[in-house]
Amino acid sequence: MFSGSIVALVTPFTPSFEIDFDNLAGLIEWHIAAGTHAIVIAGTTGESPTLSDDEKVQLAEFAVRVSAGRIKIILGNGSNNTLASVALTQRLNRTGIDGYLTVAPYYNKPTEAGLMAHFSAIAEATHLPIILYNVPSRTCCDLSNRLVIKLSELSNIVGIKDATGDLARVKELARECEQDFALLSGDDASALDFCQNGGHGVISVTANIAPEKMHAIYDAAAKGDFDSAKEIDGQLSQLHTELFIESSPMAVKWVLYKLGRISNTELRLPLVTLSKAGQSCIEQTVRDSALYPQEF
């Protein structure tokens, strides 16, 4: 089962907006050393809407090669075109990755029957485990608990990333889904409460810049030591919010650049570099967190 602190990794780019594989290798090595439990490549934080299918395959192959079995690699394979997601999944099956994060189809406004057919078709295209991704604030498509419970009966749909922040949902899913169905928060600010209500971990933006702290939080939570987990999480609480001061991953890429983990702050249009006001805000937040007293 996928659990713990899973990073939704950024995709670093060169000044010409090509994938910066050298910086990507460094980020993967950093997360392995920090104890991050798994890496999501080409998710929302990885700017998946502006990555081609060829680039997603390249990213998968590269991440698998660099990680060499030392950390689980999960790929974003979702879209609002079922046939396109199936075709991409069939290509990614051959890369050696460990599983998929499959976002709810956006814009089309499918019915529950359409959602069931969509996810079933993708599940049938792979032997690998699939984590559903429910983020209605971005997709305008909400996976109801009733649908998630039905989908959890499919053998290779093994979990959900729930970014709604609605703790009532996780309580019901923990009660109704199979015991080994992974319940992962997609909202750093409420993720620890999510785990106290039956969740198993988080797919995190904050982990991009604080991998050791995030590992410590969810290692303590897994042991039932929520007092220690809350103490560490309190140091990051403002970061959990301020990393979304402008559209993610604008702020997190800025911090990684300031830390020397990536070479620039390039994002692909329509996203642009964090504004001056945003830069000042996030720099102050990092200083307040005392994460990097020398760098900020």
Side-chain angles (χ1 to χ4, degrees), residues 6-24:
I6 301 172
V7 64
L9 196 66
V10 302
T11 303
F13 297 121
T14 68
S16 58
F17 302 102
E18 301 298 319
I19 296 170
D20 187 337
F21 287 103
D22 289 339
N23 278 180
L24 179 60

Side-chain angles (χ1 to χ4, degrees), residues 5 44 147 158 171 220 229 263 290 295:
S5 175
T44 307
L147 177 62
V158 302
K171 290 180 181 179
S263 301
E295 293 87 344

Side-chain angles (χ1 to χ4, degrees), residues 2-293:
F2 297 107
S3 62
S5 175
I6 301 172
V7 64
L9 196 66
V10 302
T11 303
F13 297 121
T14 68
S16 58
F17 302 102
E18 301 298 319
I19 296 170
D20 187 337
F21 287 103
D22 289 339
N23 278 180
L24 179 60
L27 292 175
I28 292 170
E29 292 292 351
W30 185 30
H31 281 282
I32 292 170
T36 299
H37 294 97
I39 294 174
V40 171
I41 300 285
T44 307
T45 311
E47 297 177 67
S48 57
T50 59
L51 295 171
S52 70
D53 283 0
D54 285 347
E55 287 176 321
K56 290 174 184 177
V57 172
Q58 291 169 9
L59 283 166
E61 292 172 341
F62 183 80
V64 167
R65 186 162 65 250
V66 171
S67 62
R70 294 174 293 164
I71 193 169
K72 292 184 184 301
I73 302 296
I74 302 164
L75 255 289
N77 68 335
S79 77
N80 64 338
N81 179 337
T82 307
L83 293 178
S85 289
V86 166
L88 174 60
T89 299
Q90 290 168 337
R91 293 180 65 187
L92 289 169
N93 284 339
R94 302 188 289 271
T95 62
I97 61 173
D98 297 286
Y100 294 106
L101 180 66
T102 308
V103 70
Y106 38 86
Y107 191 77
N108 308 53
K109 297 180 72 174
T111 62
E112 190 164 293
L115 290 168
M116 189 74 193
H118 172 82
F119 286 109
S120 296
I122 296 170
E124 289 171 5
T126 185
H127 63 285
L128 294 172
I130 291 172
I131 301 168
L132 306 171
Y133 181 16
N134 192 29
V135 55
S137 63
R138 284 183 179 264
T139 63
C140 296
C141 175
D142 192 2
L143 303 183
S144 69
N145 273 10
R146 181 176 64 179
L147 177 62
V148 172
I149 292 164
K150 288 168 63 177
L151 286 167
S152 73
E153 296 171 0
L154 300 181
S155 62
N156 61 337
I157 293 186
V158 302
I160 184 169
K161 175 184 177 182
D162 185 318
T164 65
D166 182 351
L167 299 181
R169 292 189 182 220
V170 68
K171 290 180 181 179
E172 182 182 9
L173 292 176
R175 187 171 63 247
E176 299 295 336
C177 291
E178 295 294 325
Q179 189 173 5
D180 58 354
F181 190 76
L183 301 173
L184 304 167
S185 173
D187 175 49
D188 279 304
S190 62
L192 190 55
D193 288 335
F194 182 96
C195 288
Q196 264 195 295
N197 282 278
H200 304 106
V202 61
I203 297 181
S204 168
V205 173
T206 305
N208 276 282
I209 62 171
E212 295 94 345
K213 293 283 189 184
M214 292 297 290
H215 167 86
I217 291 167
Y218 292 95
D219 186 54
K223 296 172 182 174
D225 184 2
F226 284 98
D227 289 339
S228 296
K230 286 180 179 179
E231 182 177 354
I232 305 167
D233 191 58
Q235 301 169 27
L236 305 180
S237 60
Q238 192 176 356
L239 264 179
H240 293 330
T241 301
E242 298 299 341
L243 284 175
F244 294 88
I245 189 171
E246 294 176 20
S247 299
S248 185
M250 292 163 66
V252 75
K253 273 197 164 180
W254 176 259
V255 177
L256 286 169
Y257 167 69
K258 294 287 287 185
L259 293 175
R261 294 287 177 179
I262 58 177
S263 301
N264 57 60
T265 62
E266 301 292 3
L267 299 101
R268 285 183 175 171
L269 290 170
L271 296 183
V272 295
T273 299
L274 192 67
S275 69
K276 293 294 184 184
Q279 292 170 23
S280 296
C281 180
I282 197 64
E283 287 176 7
Q284 184 61 52
T285 300
V286 176
R287 281 194 291 271
D288 291 345
S289 74
L291 264 178
Y292 299 103

